[in-house]
Amino acid sequence: MEKKIPYLVVLASSCQLYSGTGVALFEWIRFAKGYFEFSICIDNLTPLNYKIARDFCLAEGLRFFPCGPLQWAGGGDPGNAMVPLLVGSRKWPLIEFVSWANTNVNLAVLDACTSDVHLIYTPHTQPTWTIPHAKQLWALESAFDRMLSDSSLVCCDSPAEVETVLRRVPSARAAYIPIGTDTSHFRPGEAPRMPRLLVVADFNEARKRTDLSLSAIYRLLRRNPTYQVALAGRNSDKVEILPEFATRFECLGYISDTELLELYQRSSVFLLLSDYEAFGIPIVEALACGTPVVTTATREAISLFSELPGCYLVNNLVEIEVDAAIDAAIRQKQHENIARMASERFSLHAAYTLKLKAIQVLLPRQDFGCDGGIPQIVTADLPKQTVGMIPSTTEY
């Protein structure tokens, strides 16, 4: 049996592991655990995210290091009291830390590591205004720049995020590594599609712009009396609907993976009018199921989705543009082609082979003996646009 390389993931319990942050991390670990001996360390301040991490480790057979918080002024996350002891307890060739906003935990990792540790940073960068009470987090910006500067590899969700990182810290070792989607699960179904519009989001977050989505949906329902609407995700069951349209909505709350797949496969259009998405996992899941998408034309979305069929990028504040895109998406019937193109670009293999190759550059095979290291990864079968570490910087 080949020797696996120790790989520690340090998290803050403020990370929303029930959302895209957790999906991205857990899919990467499942994909790469044949190469690495993964362990996860997380504080216990936020029970929900702590439990998600613990249960994942139990299910996947990973080492789990629970700890108490250690919070400092100027950072919004709980911190981690165990990091100095844990990092110094053994040789960790690889340590990954997650989120641009976890100031306390990430600084603790940086301070505890020696020069022979390769730090992998996955920031999922967002604008500061997306954080409540951002003005109180006076340490966030300078700490973020240090994380970018000191990390061996910065994994960016989009080409636009690569540009953002390099503008902040030109010396950052930034790589475009998209979030992978399990396209063996998210794929077109056999049942016919319904006249239904779908929204999947965390309806508790202001940046998701539930107000804009609902306004666009009401306009659609007035134009097209046959359409129904499904809302799924956190607090979707608490959304207040205008009484005149109440019978045409399903507000489902949290749903199972099976229910989510059925919604994607049988809906005619997916809508997400967020002000900002670092990536947008539901967008890719919908496209992988062949469902046309209408979403906001942010720099990140343009850099990720502008070349994909079935993805309509709009100014979320211009009603006529949103309405025209929704109507065009409803008329779209090339579901198999939409799914094929999205799957080629964002499958687990396409995305995480890039991450494996980027890590392989950090870890020469001889460092771990003849049985260790990462075997050569074949990229010939990957789409051209996903091969390579750092794309050329293009203005969007």
Side-chain angles (χ1 to χ4, degrees):
M1 179 180 295
E2 289 191 346
K3 176 183 176 183
K4 293 185 181 180
I5 303 167
Y7 189 129
L8 176 64
V9 179
V10 182
L11 300 172
S13 67
S14 54
C15 283
Q16 297 175 341
L17 297 181
Y18 53 83
S19 70
T21 300
V23 171
L25 176 64
F26 298 152
E27 289 288 18
W28 158 242
I29 291 175
R30 289 190 188 100
F31 181 85
K33 68 178 186 177
Y35 304 109
F36 304 113
E37 179 194 340
F38 283 103
S39 303
I40 292 179
C41 178
I42 187 171
D43 68 273
N44 60 3
L45 188 64
T46 305
L48 173 61
N49 295 312
Y50 172 87
K51 182 177 184 298
I52 291 172
R54 181 199 65 192
D55 291 350
F56 175 78
C57 287
L58 288 172
E60 298 295 329
L62 309 182
R63 296 182 69 182
F64 179 66
F65 296 102
C67 70
L70 183 63
Q71 193 165 22
W72 296 87
D77 62 290
N80 188 310
M82 191 177 183
V83 164
L85 177 63
L86 182 59
V87 170
S89 66
R90 65 177 297 184
K91 181 178 180 181
W92 298 99
L94 298 165
I95 296 180
E96 180 166 358
F97 50 146
V98 177
S99 179
W100 66 287
N102 288 342
T103 301
N104 295 316
V105 165
N106 295 346
L107 285 179
V109 172
L110 288 177
D111 290 340
C113 286
T114 56
S115 59
D116 59 342
V117 177
H118 294 288
L119 293 174
I120 301 169
Y121 185 28
T122 306
H124 304 304
T125 311
Q126 295 185 25
T128 306
W129 56 259
T130 61
I131 300 182
H133 314 297
K135 292 182 179 179
Q136 299 176 18
L137 307 180
W138 50 263
L140 191 152
E141 295 287 349
S142 60
F144 182 38
D145 288 345
R146 185 183 165 199
M147 297 166 209
L148 297 177
S149 176
D150 291 2
S151 295
S152 306
L153 173 66
V154 181
C155 300
C156 298
D157 296 340
S158 69
E161 187 183 3
V162 172
E163 295 175 10
T164 298
V165 165
L166 294 178
R167 286 193 188 105
R168 291 188 69 105
V169 179
S171 62
R173 292 163 285 275
Y176 165 47
I177 298 173
I179 295 174
T181 296
D182 184 357
T183 52
S184 66
H185 176 72
F186 291 104
R187 63 190 191 280
E190 300 296 329
R193 293 182 184 266
M194 302 168 57
R196 178 175 64 197
L197 181 146
L198 172 64
V199 182
V200 178
D202 182 344
F203 288 80
N204 200 45
E205 288 197 48
R207 67 181 173 89
K208 301 293 185 178
R209 296 308 301 265
T210 300
D211 57 331
L212 297 180
S213 292
L214 287 178
S215 294
I217 291 168
Y218 295 150
R219 296 194 301 272
L220 169 65
L221 296 183
R222 292 187 179 102
R223 294 194 306 276
N224 193 329
T226 67
Y227 255 73
Q228 302 291 315
V229 180
L231 309 181
R234 186 184 183 202
N235 280 358
S236 59
D237 52 342
K238 297 180 174 60
V239 175
E240 294 185 7
I241 306 300
L242 291 179
E244 63 181 293
F245 297 118
T247 60
R248 298 169 71 179
F249 274 78
E250 289 183 285
C251 299
L252 302 170
Y254 280 119
I255 57 176
S256 68
D257 288 344
T258 301
E259 292 169 314
L260 178 62
L261 178 63
E262 190 273 341
L263 283 174
Y264 283 135
Q265 290 176 336
R266 300 208 60 195
S267 296
S268 298
V269 60
F270 177 84
L271 180 68
L272 188 64
L273 296 179
S274 305
D275 285 332
Y276 185 85
E277 293 287 339
F279 183 78
I281 289 176
I283 295 171
V284 175
E285 291 173 346
L287 291 171
C289 291
T291 306
V293 169
V294 177
T295 193
T296 310
T298 62
R299 286 178 61 250
E300 290 71 22
I302 292 170
S303 73
L304 286 165
F305 308 124
S306 62
E307 298 176 0
L308 291 181
C311 191
Y312 299 83
L313 302 174
V314 299
N315 184 330
N316 63 349
L317 300 177
V318 180
E319 292 184 357
I320 191 171
E321 190 174 330
V322 173
D323 293 350
I326 291 174
D327 292 343
I330 288 172
R331 294 192 297 270
Q332 174 66 253
K333 303 301 180 186
Q334 300 298 316
H335 303 297
E336 293 293 336
N337 187 47
I338 292 171
R340 179 180 60 82
M341 295 293 289
S343 297
E344 286 179 357
R345 185 172 296 192
F346 297 114
S347 70
L348 295 175
H349 175 74
Y352 294 138
T353 294
L354 289 177
K355 190 167 183 176
L356 280 174
K357 285 189 68 65
I359 294 172
Q360 186 178 38
V361 172
L362 303 177
L363 299 173
R365 190 177 180 87
Q366 60 268 25
D367 284 358
F368 296 90
C370 60
D371 292 330
I374 305 172
Q376 292 295 317
I377 307 300
V378 177
T379 59
D381 56 337
L382 295 181
K384 183 178 180 181
Q385 66 269 20
T386 67
V387 177
M389 283 194 61
I390 303 179
S392 60
T393 55
T394 305
E395 287 295 333
Y396 294 99

